[in-house]
Amino acid sequence: MSCVFLGVDIGTTSAKCLAVTDQGEMVAFAQSHYSLSHPYQGWAEQDAREFYNALVDVVRQCVAECCEKGFDASHITALSLSSQGD
């Protein structure tokens, strides 16, 4: 049975999720964009709910794509997260 690893990046403008096997084969990829608002000159703000919703969306998309390719949720062995801020 192959293991699948999920890597998630919560970046400045989008969340991305990549699923790879323990052999390094890419199984799935998903990306979800979110907004960056500038309420005042020199300010930049983002809504944490958008980060969360994007995270859930990309993980669900990757898991669904994995299932389409014969890997079910029990194959997922690990999840790694990276983010652009605290």
Side-chain angles (χ1 to χ4, degrees):
M1 173 169 97
S2 292
C3 297
V4 175
F5 304 105
L6 298 182
V8 178
D9 175 46
I10 307 298
T12 304
T13 60
S14 69
K16 296 163 284 297
C17 184
L18 176 68
V20 296
T21 67
D22 54 354
Q23 300 299 310
E25 172 192 359
M26 187 176 103
V27 179
F29 176 79
Q31 184 172 14
S32 180
H33 294 273
Y34 33 78
S35 62
L36 178 64
S37 67
H38 300 278
Y40 304 101
Q41 186 174 3
W43 286 36
E45 295 181 348
Q46 291 178 298
D47 186 340
R49 290 172 294 201
E50 287 190 51
F51 288 137
Y52 175 77
N53 291 336
L55 167 67
V56 171
D57 184 45
V58 295
V59 170
R60 283 185 176 158
Q61 286 182 54
C62 268
V63 171
E65 193 173 333
C66 286
C67 289
E68 290 172 6
K69 295 181 178 176
F71 299 95
D72 63 30
S74 69
H75 290 99
I76 298 171
T77 304
L79 168 69
S80 177
L81 294 170
S82 169
S83 69
Q84 51 86 15
D86 297 343

